Amino acid sequence: MAARESVEARRARAERIGRALGRLYPQAGISLDFESPWQCLAATILSAQCTDERVNQVTPALFREFPDAAATARAPEGRIRELIASTGFFRQKTRALIGTARMLVERHDAEVPRRMEELIALAGVGRKTANVVRGHVYGEPGFVVDTHVRRLTRRLGLTGQSDPERVERELCALLPKARWTPFSMRLILHGRRVCAARVPHCGACMLVMDCPQIGVKPRAASPKH
């Protein structure tokens, strides 16, 4: 759908969707708990393939023992793994946390940078995580693209892309910079609460007038061989 429409038509749709989402989720933001740039970065790394609620259960103990990048860089891997085990993929996440912390100590005096290029050069940090930090810590515009945003933007006809970086680029072209962060966070909330992957609750959705996929059932997964 998106590929057949003009940019102007998609921009108008994005504007209408943005207004509707703003009414639904006026205070949209990440639901991760943090008190510093490092804690925001660490919590976002832990949130991969894990709910924010679970991360918020884990981070108080983690941040009490290792409150900043300098402390995390010196942390025993076994202790980090123990503290974050319930978030899943804890071995990879442990390596990412300690590796990122050490790079921050070595390159940035243990401070979290704000520039995209510096953030994505850190271990375990991609554009999604970088945009979370830039948007919620430094107030820099950034479009956060996670699985919910990828799914909803395609369903809503805002993009025909599936690659996260291409989705980000197309969505940024449709919206003013000031709306990038709130629009993406509201899409994430809507994906969690209404437009679910397997069974979207179309009857309860306030975006139906702008959804080309209304009533279309999600494609069934291919059988495993």
Side-chain angles (χ1 to χ4, degrees), residues 191-214:
R192 290 173 177 170
R193 298 179 183 181
V194 179
C195 193
R198 294 186 178 179
V199 185
H201 305 295
C202 300
C205 184
M206 300 297 291
L207 306 180
V208 290
M209 297 300 293
D210 274 301
C211 183
Q213 293 294 305
I214 181 67

Side-chain angles (χ1 to χ4, degrees), residues 140-179:
E140 299 283 353
F143 207 98
V144 178
V145 179
D146 72 348
T147 56
H148 297 292
V149 170
R150 289 170 60 193
R151 180 176 72 255
L152 267 67
T153 52
R154 286 177 63 86
R155 283 182 178 173
L156 293 168
L158 296 177
T159 180
Q161 302 293 336
S162 57
D163 175 75
E165 190 166 346
R166 291 182 178 180
V167 172
E168 179 187 346
R169 187 161 53 245
E170 286 203 0
L171 269 293
C172 287
L174 299 180
L175 296 158
K177 284 186 177 182
R179 299 184 190 176

Side-chain angles (χ1 to χ4, degrees), residues 1-220:
M1 172 65 70
R4 300 175 184 174
E5 290 184 322
S6 67
V7 173
E8 290 75 16
R10 284 187 289 138
R11 186 172 290 129
R13 177 182 286 132
E15 177 67 26
R16 294 191 299 271
I17 290 170
R19 288 198 299 267
L21 290 173
R23 292 191 294 269
L24 285 170
Y25 314 110
Q27 302 299 323
I30 57 172
S31 51
L32 296 169
D33 297 333
F34 61 90
E35 296 180 354
S36 68
W38 163 252
Q39 291 184 5
C40 178
L41 176 58
T44 306
I45 290 173
L46 292 177
S47 71
Q49 303 297 314
C50 181
T51 65
D52 290 356
E53 290 79 8
R54 172 62 63 182
V55 173
N56 289 339
Q57 292 171 9
V58 166
T59 50
L62 175 68
F63 294 155
R64 275 196 301 271
E65 287 196 40
F66 309 107
D68 52 32
T72 306
R74 300 189 300 268
E77 287 192 19
R79 183 55 180 156
I80 296 289
R81 287 198 298 268
E82 180 182 354
L83 288 167
I84 69 170
S86 63
T87 67
F89 301 97
F90 58 90
R91 291 182 178 83
Q92 298 95 311
K93 291 178 181 179
T94 295
R95 290 194 293 269
L97 286 176
I98 294 177
T100 296
R102 288 174 177 170
M103 293 176 77
L104 289 175
V105 170
E106 294 168 0
R107 302 179 183 182
H108 303 286
D109 296 322
E111 299 296 328
V112 177
R114 70 168 60 205
R115 294 180 61 242
M116 174 64 75
E117 295 78 9
E118 293 174 324
L119 283 165
I120 62 176
L122 300 171
V125 178
R127 292 188 65 86
K128 185 196 85 168
T129 298
N131 276 322
V132 169
V133 172
R134 281 168 55 80
H136 291 85
V137 172
Y138 297 120
E140 299 283 353
F143 207 98
V144 178
V145 179
D146 72 348
T147 56
H148 297 292
V149 170
R150 289 170 60 193
R151 180 176 72 255
L152 267 67
T153 52
R154 286 177 63 86
R155 283 182 178 173
L156 293 168
L158 296 177
T159 180
Q161 302 293 336
S162 57
D163 175 75
E165 190 166 346
R166 291 182 178 180
V167 172
E168 179 187 346
R169 187 161 53 245
E170 286 203 0
L171 269 293
C172 287
L174 299 180
L175 296 158
K177 284 186 177 182
R179 299 184 190 176
W180 291 353
T181 300
F183 190 96
S184 57
M185 301 315 297
R186 287 165 180 154
L187 280 175
I188 291 171
L189 282 177
H190 199 65
R192 290 173 177 170
R193 298 179 183 181
V194 179
C195 193
R198 294 186 178 179
V199 185
H201 305 295
C202 300
C205 184
M206 300 297 291
L207 306 180
V208 290
M209 297 300 293
D210 274 301
C211 183
Q213 293 294 305
I214 181 67
V216 178
K217 293 182 179 180
R219 189 177 304 171

